[in-house]
């Protein structure tokens, strides 16, 4: 059985950077807190908590504490509240996400209606919304677009959650461009996501089985799996080697392995070892 590992599998630049900042910060400081999980991956979350970073649900007194902002970014209100409570802020927001924040703030100031293509409940989208007081329309799928939501819009600036697929973006844009006079589109799908998705356009066709490794809570992992599944129904989403079912590989001579942006290298290597032993 030939095993091909996607060159883009595993931690993206932004996740690597955030974890590095988190670990360096906790080495030097007594109390480091973080609102929610650093990334959507259980193994990484455990490692970061084991290093001493505390996960909190809400901001309390910040005296003598550091608040670590995660790679997904955060709404402006979180920064303001943290400062008010006395926290020192260490910002691990991915620079690609920061770029989306800048675009949105500038276009909003220029009087554009803001449209975000993405998952409304995702932390990254909440962070983008929070740059402009949540005064934006979030669209998840073209089918979910209600005409009333865009009625009366003359000039709209459209940005995209960094981990969306181009197919979903194109479908939504087509509808927007039919109904809105001027649509200014910024393709803010990040490079790491694009590379991963491009590889997933060929790997499922060239292999009998496709394994995508990552957490079921990770949006980019789920999207990667959906792309694979569209082209090859023998595609499986697993979190660790324990999820592998030997029967999946019956008669298979080629297997492709890819992984989401928040999947650690050790987990990927573990899965490869398990496949080799099959
Ligand atoms: S997926 Fe892209 S935007 Fe998100 S953290 Fe990674 S590099 Fe940054």
């Amino acid at each position: 059985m030939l095993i091909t590992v996607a060159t883009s599998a595993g931690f993206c630049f932004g996740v690597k950077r955030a974890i590095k900042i988190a670990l360096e910060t906790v080495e030097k400081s007594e109390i480091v807190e973080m609102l929610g999980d650093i990334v959507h991956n259980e193994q990484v979350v455990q490692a970061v908590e084991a290093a001493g970073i505390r996960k909190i649900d809400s901001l309390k007194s910040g005296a003598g504490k550091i608040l670590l902002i995660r790679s997904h970014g955060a709404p402006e209100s979180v920064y303001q509240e943290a400062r008010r409570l006395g926290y020192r802020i260490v910002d691990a927001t991915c620079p690609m996400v920061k770029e989306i924040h800048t675009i949105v703030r500038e276009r909003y100031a220029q009087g554009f209606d803001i449209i975000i293509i993405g998952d409304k409940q995702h932390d990254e989208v909440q962070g983008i919304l929070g740059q402009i007081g949540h005064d934006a329309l979030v669209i998840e799928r073209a089918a979910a677009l209600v005409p009333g939501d865009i009625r009366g819009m003359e000039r709209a600036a459209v940005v995209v959650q960094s981990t969306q697929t181009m197919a979903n973006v194109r479908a939504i844009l087509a509808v927007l461009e039919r109904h809105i006079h001027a649509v200014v589109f910024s393709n803010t799908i990040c490079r790491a996501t694009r590379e991963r998705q491009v590889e997933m356009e060929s790997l499922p066709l060239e292999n009998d089985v496709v394994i995508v490794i990552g957490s079921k809570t990770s949006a980019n992992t789920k999207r990667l799996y959906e792309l694979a599944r569209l082209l090859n129904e023998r595609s499986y989403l697993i979190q660790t080697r324990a999820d592998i079912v030997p029967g999946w590989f019956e008669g298979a001579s080629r297997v492709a392995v890819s992984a989401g942006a928040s999947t650690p290298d050790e987990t990927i290597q573990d899965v490869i070892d398990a496949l080799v032993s099959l």
Side-chain angles (χ1 to χ4, degrees):
M1 195 163 78
L2 181 70
I3 301 167
T4 305
V5 183
T7 52
S8 58
F11 282 170
C12 62
F13 151 78
V15 167
K16 263 190 214 151
R17 180 177 170 275
I19 294 171
K20 185 166 177 279
I21 293 174
L23 297 178
E24 282 173 2
T25 306
V26 76
E27 248 178 43
K28 291 184 227 138
S29 323
E30 283 287 291
I31 309 172
V32 182
E33 294 185 340
M34 192 174 52
L35 279 165
D37 295 328
I38 185 148
V39 291
H40 294 140
N41 182 280
E42 291 74 5
Q43 286 91 349
V44 179
V45 168
Q46 280 165 15
V48 164
E49 285 182 3
I53 298 177
R54 296 183 195 162
K55 178 175 143 183
I56 52 170
D57 298 326
S58 59
L59 297 174
K60 300 205 173 75
S61 168
K65 294 181 188 168
I66 287 180
L67 179 71
L68 185 80
I69 305 286
R70 305 166 304 159
S71 59
H72 301 306
E76 197 45 43
S77 56
V78 168
Y79 292 78
Q80 286 167 5
E81 182 65 358
R83 281 189 206 107
R84 193 184 67 77
L85 290 167
Y87 280 95
R88 185 161 81 76
I89 296 174
V90 171
D91 197 346
T93 306
C94 175
M96 317 290 160
V97 176
K98 281 274 187 202
E99 205 176 305
I100 306 177
H101 292 179
T102 305
I103 295 171
V104 158
R105 281 200 302 263
E106 283 176 5
R107 295 289 187 208
Y108 188 70
Q110 290 161 0
F112 283 87
D113 285 307
I114 304 296
I115 297 176
I116 304 165
I117 297 176
D119 304 327
K120 191 162 191 172
Q121 296 313 323
H122 193 281
D123 300 322
E124 180 184 328
V125 173
Q126 287 298 317
I128 300 168
L129 277 167
Q131 303 305 309
I132 49 171
H134 288 246
D135 187 14
L137 173 67
V138 181
I139 305 173
E140 298 193 359
R141 309 237 164 256
L145 186 49
V146 179
D149 289 342
I150 53 174
R151 195 167 295 135
M153 281 191 191
E154 284 293 319
R155 291 194 317 152
V158 182
V159 295
V160 189
Q161 179 187 0
S162 63
T163 52
Q164 286 283 308
T165 62
M166 224 24 236
N168 189 40
V169 171
R170 274 194 215 103
I172 293 172
L173 265 184
V175 180
L176 295 177
E177 282 167 349
R178 270 205 305 278
H179 292 91
I180 303 173
H181 178 65
V183 175
V184 177
F185 171 59
S186 303
N187 187 355
T188 50
I189 297 176
C190 77
R191 192 163 138 207
T193 301
R194 282 188 228 185
E195 285 171 0
R196 218 171 291 268
Q197 292 179 356
V198 164
E199 275 195 288
M200 213 34 113
E201 285 168 9
S202 55
L203 284 176
L205 301 174
E206 295 160 357
N207 290 273
D208 303 308
V209 177
V210 182
I211 301 294
V212 179
I213 315 163
S215 170
K216 296 197 167 91
T217 60
S218 156
N220 79 81
T221 305
K222 277 193 288 181
R223 259 180 225 115
L224 205 58
Y225 164 68
E226 282 161 17
L227 285 176
R229 180 93 195 161
L230 270 180
L231 300 173
N232 185 338
E233 62 176 23
R234 293 176 76 183
S235 299
Y236 304 96
L237 172 57
I238 63 168
Q239 280 184 238
T240 65
R241 67 183 288 163
D243 300 327
I244 294 174
V245 176
W248 292 343
F249 306 95
E250 256 168 47
S253 57
R254 297 179 69 98
V255 177
V257 175
S258 187
S262 47
T263 308
D265 284 350
E266 303 83 73
T267 310
I268 299 171
Q269 191 53 51
D270 227 23
V271 168
I272 294 167
D273 293 345
L275 293 176
V276 168
S277 73
L278 277 176

